[in-house]
Amino acid sequence: MTDPKPTRIVLDVDRDGWTNGLQLNIAELDENNSGWGYRLAGPKYNGSSKNLLRVELDERAAAEIRKMLDKGFPLDANGGADRV
């Protein structure tokens, strides 16, 4: 069974309500803006964050990001990371 809607991938910049620090995450969202993500930078999320910016990635942005990641973290012949 396939999901009828494509996955939406977003980059979010949030401001933490306790520390006032900025948080950066990448998240996979469904049609209700629910999903899961990975915090790339900033203080841990504690439920007090306010979203400042959300950018939905398109195929072009994903391809450019993938190219950058492949340069810094090339895959080995088995498809895994070349280094740990």
Side-chain angles (χ1 to χ4, degrees), residues 9-81:
I9 305 296
V10 298
L11 292 175
D12 279 338
V13 176
D14 301 324
R15 181 167 309 278
D16 179 63
W18 290 2
T19 67
N20 214 28
L22 295 177
Q23 299 156 311
L24 173 65
N25 77 73
I26 186 168
E28 174 183 340
L29 302 178
D30 64 16
E31 64 276 2
N32 299 315
N33 286 328
S34 296
W36 67 277
Y38 181 77
R39 180 176 48 90
L40 297 166
K44 290 184 179 181
Y45 282 90
N46 58 38
S48 67
S49 299
K50 178 182 179 190
N51 185 259
L52 301 176
L53 176 68
R54 171 168 284 167
V55 176
E56 187 168 336
L57 299 182
D58 59 15
E59 288 185 37
R60 180 175 178 222
E64 291 298 321
I65 292 168
R66 191 172 287 118
K67 280 191 330 191
M68 288 180 177
L69 290 173
D70 288 345
K71 284 182 183 178
F73 306 95
L75 299 179
D76 63 19
N78 298 322

Side-chain angles (χ1 to χ4, degrees), residues 1-7 28 30-31:
M1 180 184 270
T2 60
D3 188 40
K5 293 206 179 249
T7 300
E28 174 183 340
D30 64 16
E31 64 276 2

